Amino acid sequence: ITLIERPLWSTPEVPMYVVDQGPGSKISFDRLEDSVVVKTQTIDAVVRDLEISKIDFIKMDIEGAEMDALAGASQLMESCRPAIFMEWYEDNFKCFGVQVTDLLTFARKYNYQLVATPQLFEIHTELHLRMFMATSGNIALIPLPLTAP
């Protein structure tokens, strides 16, 4: 495991402000009192810089920034197709301008199946996703087999 002390985002080098308070740490695009500036990094850049050839699994719990982080992983999604486990709570992601259906769109784009965990219920529609979000927010994105062109 390699700790990357930079926020994952859709584009690199975006300045963010961090106040390190352990589990109560804060991060913002706006300057915070007692904050330090850190710059974002993309998942694709981390994979490239560390010369990682294969990733099978990604676990994300980044308080609503998951879609922005995954937007910076397009090369990884196409080359390695890792399984992804994440939380999906509207209260967390709506502040980033993300919609409930963005996760469904992402899954369709990269040919993934959304699965509610621990129930192992397949999510195919916005209604299914909203029903699931009312009880739990743990989601697995499982790569589906690719079909030949």
Side-chain angles (χ1 to χ4, degrees):
I1 296 176
T2 302
L3 178 63
I4 309 297
E5 294 185 337
R6 294 177 68 179
L8 295 173
W9 202 247
S10 56
T11 54
E13 304 300 321
V14 175
M16 292 183 139
Y17 300 91
V18 176
V19 178
D20 185 1
Q21 297 174 332
S25 295
K26 298 175 187 171
I27 190 164
S28 175
F29 288 111
D30 301 318
R31 186 175 301 277
L32 301 169
E33 186 177 332
D34 299 323
S35 64
V36 295
V37 177
V38 294
K39 294 195 175 175
T40 61
Q41 183 64 287
T42 66
I43 293 173
D44 283 339
V46 170
V47 170
R48 181 191 66 239
D49 294 349
L50 294 177
E51 299 178 353
I52 299 170
S53 61
K54 180 73 173 150
I55 293 180
D56 298 311
F57 182 79
I58 294 174
K59 164 58 168 99
M60 299 178 117
D61 183 2
I62 50 178
E63 303 305 313
E66 288 82 0
M67 292 309 301
D68 288 295
L70 289 171
S74 59
Q75 294 170 355
L76 174 71
M77 297 305 297
E78 292 180 8
S79 64
C80 294
R81 301 182 42 74
I84 301 167
F85 186 82
M86 59 192 276
E87 290 186 339
W88 192 247
Y89 294 108
E90 191 166 16
D91 286 346
N92 289 352
F93 61 73
K94 69 182 176 183
C95 65
F96 292 102
V98 173
Q99 304 296 314
V100 171
T101 55
D102 291 348
L103 187 59
L104 290 164
T105 301
F106 178 87
R108 289 180 186 123
K109 176 180 179 179
Y110 291 105
N111 199 29
Y112 274 69
Q113 176 62 60
L114 298 180
V115 178
T117 62
Q119 303 91 334
L120 301 180
F121 175 76
E122 290 185 2
I123 298 170
H124 298 280
T125 67
E126 179 180 357
L127 178 60
H128 287 154
L129 186 53
R130 286 189 180 279
M131 288 171 46
F132 167 70
M133 288 169 49
T135 60
S136 174
N138 296 320
I139 299 266
L141 287 88
I142 307 300
L144 296 170
L146 294 175
T147 56

